Amino acid sequence: MNPAERPEPALPRVASVPIGVAAGILTAAGELLFLVVAAVAVAVAAVVPPARRRAHAAILRYAAELVRLERRRLAGFLTAGVAPGGPATRGWRDVGYLAARLLPGALGALAYGLFAVGVVLAVIVLWAVLRGTLEPADALVQVVIGAALLLVNVQAVASIAALDVRLAHRLLGAGSRAELERRVRELTTSRAEVVAAVDAERQRIERDLHDGLQQRLVALGMLLGRARRSRDPERAAALIAQAHQDAQRAIGELREVAWRVYPSALDDGDLGEVLRVVADRSDIPVRIRYDVATRPDRPVETVLYFVACEALTNAAKHAAAKLITVEVESRAGTIRLRVHDDGVGGADPTGAGLTGLARRVAALDGRLRVDSPAGGPTTVLAELPCG
């Protein structure tokens, strides 16, 4: 990632900053104890080589646990910019972070120590005022000085929290090389999944053509042959009429297969218009809500179209739904499709159809979630970048 493009760390949460800094003092004390024990263990392991590997493994394991604790503290009290999860272990970089964490821990202890001293002095001044041994003018001066020192102390706590957050972003964040390797792994996986999804779609189209359209055309040919051989004009006319109906049904099935291959209707209209056409052809009532200000890229529309059609087909065939709701909306650079039905539920996210959709969505850096408990309802949610 270009340094100029690296996002700035999120600002500390004002309400929970004092709690986060106080918790950081306690964790820093534990980390100091851990570092001392780790240093002793390393020194002993240097003298006793057989114990070196075991000592290093134990140090790294406990360091990873302490780092996970710090991540939860930061995410819970100071900033949403540091994920509470993270890599299971990062080796000696974790130990380096724990050592760096001693600085904000020590500064936090100093700030809270000064605050405690200020509280004691404030109690002494208040007691002197109540006893009448301190003049009102002197008491006012003490209050002004105390208020100024309190403001300085509050600012110091906020600065310590900001330092803590920056250290976490700098030392816990993935480096550019690690981020690049992670992205390469994601793209490699996505490419393999897209190839698998395309193969599965081809097999599905082949089955539709073989089991449906091909058999209907064979039957159509047989009807026309019987009509041609018939010597009864009325019988021949009836067979030709039946053949015409079968031809119309074959054309409809062919159109359905063609739409599953490529939604050509997107050439003339946006996703909202195409989904309304699909809804009109559905045997189950479908409500469409399309709230997208800027039309997304064509690949995004195509993937969302396939997700919506698959969800509608599943609801019609398996869910016994009475109403299906399709909502499409865009927000903050992403587009979101939600398909909800009031059917019996029980959809399997690992099934071939939904797995293929998940692969399509993942290929565009999106995500697909399916919530379908037994008894219903079923919700299919897809989120993708707009472009």
Side-chain angles (χ1 to χ4, degrees):
M1 180 181 295
N2 191 326
E5 299 175 353
R6 184 177 291 116
E8 288 295 325
L11 295 177
R13 302 170 186 171
V14 175
S16 57
V17 163
I19 301 175
V21 173
I25 297 172
L26 299 177
T27 57
E31 289 153 8
L32 175 60
L33 178 61
F34 164 77
L35 291 173
V36 171
V37 173
V40 173
V42 170
V44 173
V47 179
V48 186
R52 183 178 305 169
R53 179 177 299 179
R54 184 178 300 178
H56 289 182
I59 291 172
L60 297 182
R61 184 172 65 254
Y62 287 113
E65 293 296 329
L66 289 173
V67 168
R68 275 193 284 268
L69 177 63
E70 289 294 346
R71 283 181 176 274
R72 288 196 292 269
R73 178 182 67 87
L74 291 169
F77 296 109
L78 297 183
T79 177
V82 176
T89 179
R90 302 179 325 131
W92 292 100
R93 292 180 62 188
D94 287 342
V95 179
Y97 168 72
L98 296 178
R101 260 283 304 144
L102 297 180
L103 176 60
L107 293 176
L110 178 61
Y112 275 90
L114 293 177
F115 178 76
V117 172
V119 170
V120 172
L121 294 178
V123 170
I124 293 174
V125 170
L126 179 61
W127 180 251
V129 170
L130 294 177
R131 293 182 59 188
T133 58
L134 188 64
E135 296 295 331
D138 295 334
L140 181 61
V141 172
Q142 296 295 330
V143 169
V144 171
I145 295 174
L149 293 177
L150 178 62
L151 291 177
V152 172
N153 196 264
V154 169
Q155 180 59 44
V157 171
S159 299
I160 293 168
L163 174 62
D164 207 351
V165 171
R166 288 188 176 276
L167 280 176
H169 276 278
R170 179 63 61 88
L171 300 179
L172 294 182
S176 57
R177 181 179 179 84
E179 182 67 19
L180 179 61
E181 292 176 351
R182 182 191 64 81
R183 184 59 176 162
V184 169
R185 288 194 298 270
E186 287 182 355
L187 293 177
T188 302
T189 303
S190 297
R191 183 182 65 179
E193 291 180 345
V194 168
V195 172
V198 171
D199 287 341
E201 191 66 24
R202 287 174 177 171
Q203 294 174 3
R204 179 176 178 177
I205 293 171
E206 190 275 334
R207 287 195 302 269
D208 290 343
L209 292 175
H210 181 272
D211 299 340
L213 185 60
Q214 180 177 333
Q215 294 183 9
R216 190 172 295 280
L217 291 177
V218 170
L220 176 61
M222 294 175 63
L223 284 174
L224 292 175
R226 291 170 58 191
R228 184 180 180 182
R229 293 189 300 269
S230 177
R231 296 181 179 181
D232 184 357
E234 294 183 358
R235 175 65 175 170
L239 291 174
I240 292 175
Q242 184 179 351
H244 180 266
Q245 294 176 358
D246 286 352
Q248 294 297 322
R249 284 192 287 268
I251 292 173
E253 291 183 5
L254 181 60
R255 185 182 298 111
E256 291 292 335
V257 173
W259 271 54
R260 283 198 291 271
V261 175
Y262 180 78
S264 58
L266 289 175
D267 293 335
D268 303 322
D270 60 21
L271 180 62
E273 297 171 356
V274 176
L275 290 179
R276 291 186 182 94
V277 173
V278 175
D280 292 339
R281 295 159 53 193
S282 174
D283 296 332
I284 301 174
V286 179
R287 294 179 182 174
I288 304 292
R289 187 175 73 85
Y290 186 78
D291 184 15
V292 178
T294 303
R295 185 173 181 177
D297 289 350
R298 182 56 179 273
V300 174
E301 280 191 324
T302 303
V303 169
L304 292 177
Y305 165 81
F306 282 119
V307 172
C309 288
E310 180 71 19
L312 291 173
T313 301
N314 290 341
K317 288 184 176 180
H318 309 296
K322 297 180 180 179
L323 177 64
I324 305 173
T325 303
V326 180
E327 300 176 346
V328 185
E329 60 182 359
S330 59
R331 60 175 68 176
T334 63
I335 186 166
R336 181 174 178 265
L337 168 71
R338 180 178 179 270
V339 183
H340 177 85
D341 69 71
D342 58 358
V344 298
D348 183 9
T350 62
L354 292 176
T355 300
L357 292 180
R359 289 168 175 168
R360 285 178 180 265
V361 173
L364 296 181
D365 290 335
R367 57 178 180 172
L368 179 75
R369 295 200 302 271
V370 180
D371 182 18
S372 182
T378 297
T379 301
V380 178
L381 181 64
E383 292 180 330
L384 293 95
C386 286

